[in-house]
Amino acid sequence: MRIAMVSEHADPLGAVGGVDAGGQNVHVAALAAHLASRGHEVTVFTRRDDAAVATRLRAPDGYLVEHVPAGPPSEVPKDELWPFMADFARYLAARWAAERPDVVHAHFWMSGAAATSAAGPLDIPVVQTFHALGTVKRRYQGAHDTSPLARTSVERELCRTVDHVIATCSDEVAELRRAGLPRAKVSVVPCGVDVARFTPAPHPGDGKQRLVVVGRLVERKGVADVVDAMAELPGVELLVVGGPARDSLALDPEVQRLRRRAAAAGSLQRIEFFGRVCHDSLPAVFALADVVVAVPWYEPFGIVPLEAMACGRPVVGSAVGGLLDTILPGVTGELIPARRSDLLAITLRDLLADGRRRAAYGAAGVHRAHQHYRWEQVAAETEDVYTRVVESVSAPAAEALR
Ligand code: UDP
């Protein structure tokens, strides 16, 4: 198949870990790579955010990346990109009129808007993955939500106009159903993990007990709750990976906020903020962990818990979104309610005191990651969705020719 992916803000070749670059970049890169290795011709259309980068280039993994001129060729926060989507859509329409893809897969709501507007007149089927939903963000972030006002209504509209939606977890299906999406129009295909790269490695055996948190440093990731729990975990160390590059950490307002909080609780000297780490180096980070902690307030999917599981580490997570599917409590880790640093501290204290349970959870995590979440499998399931959509769109045309 000739597959066009649209990922307006998340460049699969971009650096990951900053405020707007995380799971979607990793997801699009891995999916494109695995679909390309299955013999498909994949092009990812992403916004040009760097004047120096080539318009079209082939990624080492065999897919093409096309940088779309829409807005200034510099970094722009994703919540300020909406006004440039009309230009983005015009570019896609011209490209697809010249070189028609068999299927378009849009990632995130703005990509969906641009993709449907370009693909509609050309009768190209569109598959949508939201990655995150405006209604959920508004529910949790209220007045702090900086999404454009149009977001929720565009998402509802997409539920009507796209040919199929891929949800990444069961919780998202429930949200989409509430937004009016018919059950027949949604399939669950989770995010994946590269199990060849994320493999179990021995703990350094340095006599330290260490918690590891990995993720973008935004409030809703719940890092402050982990920092608060540290006050109840004497002797335990915490490594926080993510956020800006190491040399600009001190200037980051979220790091400053978390450091102040830790200092007030007397635990700052046991907490290290490391800054962002390239994706290839993360297995070495997980190897340092006795327990990986992921306690977001909400989470559309959460690739980090999966990566930690593949690395054989027990995960203590919050019982939200995709973590409800990935983490099996009492088997691969524990689930606790979000924003409960008191329960987090108790859960972590128990688990840190029980090496056998940690080892059993770690082994079960590896098994689960391999059984359900290998990118090869995720790409094959995604390909199935494309095939069904392409067939259902071409069936009426074939019928008319008879
Ligand atoms: N990540 C990374 N380096 C960092 C921080 C995060 O490579 O310093 C990666 C992480 O390994 C994961 C992704 O970014 O693959 C984050 O995805 P997740 O779904 O956990 O969260 P999101 O960023 O989508 O909210």
Side-chain angles (χ1 to χ4, degrees):
M1 268 183 276
R2 198 197 287 258
I3 300 162
M5 288 207 193
V6 183
S7 177
E8 67 332 29
H9 71 280
D11 185 339
L13 302 175
V16 175
V19 168
D20 281 340
Q24 187 177 326
N25 304 63
V26 171
H27 181 108
V28 171
L31 190 57
H34 283 91
L35 287 165
S37 78
R38 295 174 70 81
H40 300 294
E41 205 180 300
V42 184
T43 304
V44 180
F45 293 86
T46 189
R47 201 187 72 87
R48 169 187 284 280
D49 65 1
D50 179 352
V53 79
T55 302
R56 249 165 105 83
L57 54 103
R58 191 167 290 279
D61 288 329
Y63 59 92
L64 282 168
V65 177
E66 191 155 330
H67 292 107
V68 176
S74 55
E75 278 187 31
V76 174
K78 75 169 184 281
D79 287 340
E80 294 169 22
L81 290 177
W82 180 233
F84 308 125
M85 286 301 118
D87 283 347
F88 200 115
R90 268 190 287 277
Y91 181 94
L92 294 178
R95 289 287 292 115
W96 295 344
E99 227 175 302
R100 188 186 189 279
D102 298 305
V103 62
V104 170
H105 187 172
H107 297 262
F108 206 55
W109 69 278
M110 288 184 284
S111 299
T116 47
S117 129
L122 298 167
D123 280 331
I124 306 167
V126 177
V127 173
Q128 171 75 27
T129 297
F130 283 103
H131 289 273
L133 288 168
T135 41
V136 179
K137 193 168 186 195
R138 184 56 51 85
R139 190 179 309 143
Y140 288 95
Q141 300 201 349
H144 296 296
D145 180 9
T146 52
S147 302
L149 281 178
R151 179 170 180 176
T152 46
S153 56
V154 172
E155 287 177 347
R156 274 180 179 274
E157 175 73 10
L158 286 171
C159 285
R160 288 198 289 111
T161 52
V162 298
D163 293 275
H164 205 79
V165 174
I166 294 182
T168 54
C169 68
S170 357
D171 189 57
E172 192 186 346
V173 175
E175 289 289 345
L176 290 165
R177 299 279 289 117
R178 278 195 285 275
L181 186 72
R183 184 65 187 89
K185 249 175 92 167
V186 58
S187 303
V188 180
V189 181
C191 296
V193 58
D194 181 349
V195 295
R197 191 182 291 164
F198 288 83
T199 54
H203 186 269
D206 53 5
K208 292 182 176 165
Q209 286 217 301
R210 195 179 291 107
L211 306 173
V212 169
V213 169
V214 175
R216 295 179 296 123
L217 286 187
V218 292
E219 192 181 25
R220 67 116 175 146
K221 288 284 180 183
V223 184
D225 299 318
V226 191
V227 166
D228 289 352
M230 283 293 287
E232 307 301 321
L233 299 166
V236 175
E237 302 199 348
L238 170 63
L239 176 61
V240 180
V241 169
R246 199 168 167 75
D247 55 7
S248 38
L249 269 184
L251 300 172
D252 185 76
E254 182 65 1
V255 173
Q256 289 170 354
R257 182 180 82 94
L258 294 168
R259 280 195 167 135
R260 275 197 303 276
R261 211 163 163 128
S267 54
L268 185 58
Q269 69 287 358
R270 292 184 285 117
I271 303 179
E272 183 181 0
F273 290 91
F274 199 83
R276 79 164 69 120
V277 162
C278 75
H279 201 231
D280 286 353
S281 304
L282 274 176
V285 169
F286 288 121
L288 298 170
D290 292 281
V291 179
V292 173
V293 187
V295 285
W297 300 353
Y298 67 91
E299 189 61 273
F301 181 77
I303 297 180
V304 163
L306 212 54
E307 293 169 343
M309 282 158 62
C311 288
R313 294 305 187 261
V315 183
V316 172
S318 45
V320 297
L323 280 65
L324 293 164
D325 287 0
T326 48
I327 300 174
L328 293 183
V331 179
T332 66
E334 304 293 350
L335 286 175
I336 55 155
R339 308 186 72 171
R340 287 294 302 269
S341 59
D342 53 339
L343 293 180
L344 178 61
I346 294 167
T347 305
L348 286 169
R349 196 181 310 130
D350 284 356
L351 191 52
L352 287 168
D354 190 344
R356 281 167 75 166
R357 186 150 60 101
R358 290 200 307 277
Y361 285 3
V366 175
H367 183 68
R368 186 162 173 73
H370 282 247
Q371 208 172 27
H372 297 290
Y373 298 102
R374 285 177 304 107
W375 277 117
E376 290 80 358
Q377 193 177 334
V378 170
E381 289 172 27
T382 307
E383 183 188 296
D384 276 352
V385 173
Y386 296 166
T387 306
R388 274 190 279 135
V389 165
V390 169
E391 277 169 4
S392 70
V393 171
S394 53
E399 194 68 27
L401 288 176
R402 252 183 230 137

